[in-house]
Amino acid sequence: MTIKTLTATLILCSTLTACSVMNQQECETANWNALGYVDGSQGAASSQFTERSSACSEYNVRADFAQYQAGYQKGLINYCTESKGFYVGSRGKEYQGVCPAKTASAFLTGYHHGQELYQLKQELNQAEQELRRRKIRS
């Protein structure tokens, strides 16, 4: 897989809704390794392959699980870090439980700290809204 191919796939995927539904042309030209990498690096559940495969089977295109899985595992290496965990948690996003045991601990440490920040931001927003309501009433 070349950098050019990976970049094109990443751009394509970022313009699609979670890259979950593929049309016939996308199925016929798919780089399954790159798609797996994108899904893994975004922390998508491994069931994403099944959705992609089902979409492509409608066009009689067979998905390459081995290539997808190889890319997915490489993508998880980038996703399953403490800093990515913090990013995901601080945005209030749900963790799909995709990190392997050896990296899950670091990811979850960051994720829990991020969730704490997210919760504090939510409480701050609620307090600010309440303050605005009280100012309007007085």
Side-chain angles (χ1 to χ4, degrees):
M1 167 176 40
T2 66
I3 296 295
K4 195 175 198 178
T5 303
L6 180 58
T7 302
T9 302
L10 290 171
I11 290 170
L12 173 64
C13 285
S14 67
T15 61
L16 298 173
T17 305
C19 285
S20 59
V21 179
M22 297 174 66
N23 65 33
Q24 184 171 0
Q25 181 182 3
E26 291 166 339
C27 289
E28 291 172 349
T29 60
N31 177 332
W32 291 101
N33 189 283
L35 290 171
Y37 180 85
V38 169
D39 289 347
S41 66
Q42 293 177 352
S46 59
S47 62
Q48 187 72 29
F49 175 80
T50 304
E51 293 176 32
R52 291 179 184 282
S53 180
S54 294
C56 290
S57 69
E58 294 177 19
Y59 309 110
N60 294 319
V61 175
R62 189 164 187 260
D64 188 333
F65 180 73
Q67 284 295 308
Y68 178 89
Q69 191 63 20
Y72 184 78
Q73 293 303 317
K74 288 177 187 171
L76 286 180
I77 292 168
N78 289 329
Y79 180 78
C80 297
T81 64
E82 187 171 347
S83 61
K84 183 62 94 166
F86 182 82
Y87 177 83
V88 171
S90 69
R91 302 235 169 353
K93 302 209 180 275
E94 187 176 326
Y95 170 52
Q96 300 294 318
V98 297
C99 295
K102 68 180 183 177
T103 57
S105 179
F107 180 90
L108 288 170
T109 296
Y111 182 71
H112 292 307
H113 289 304
Q115 283 184 311
E116 290 173 12
L117 176 62
Y118 179 78
Q119 184 61 39
L120 290 170
K121 285 181 180 179
Q122 294 296 89
E123 291 171 13
L124 177 62
N125 287 338
Q126 290 172 355
E128 288 173 339
Q129 288 175 0
E130 180 63 25
L131 182 60
R132 281 192 292 273
R133 277 193 293 263
R134 289 182 184 199
K135 282 183 178 181
I136 291 173
R137 288 188 220 159
S138 49

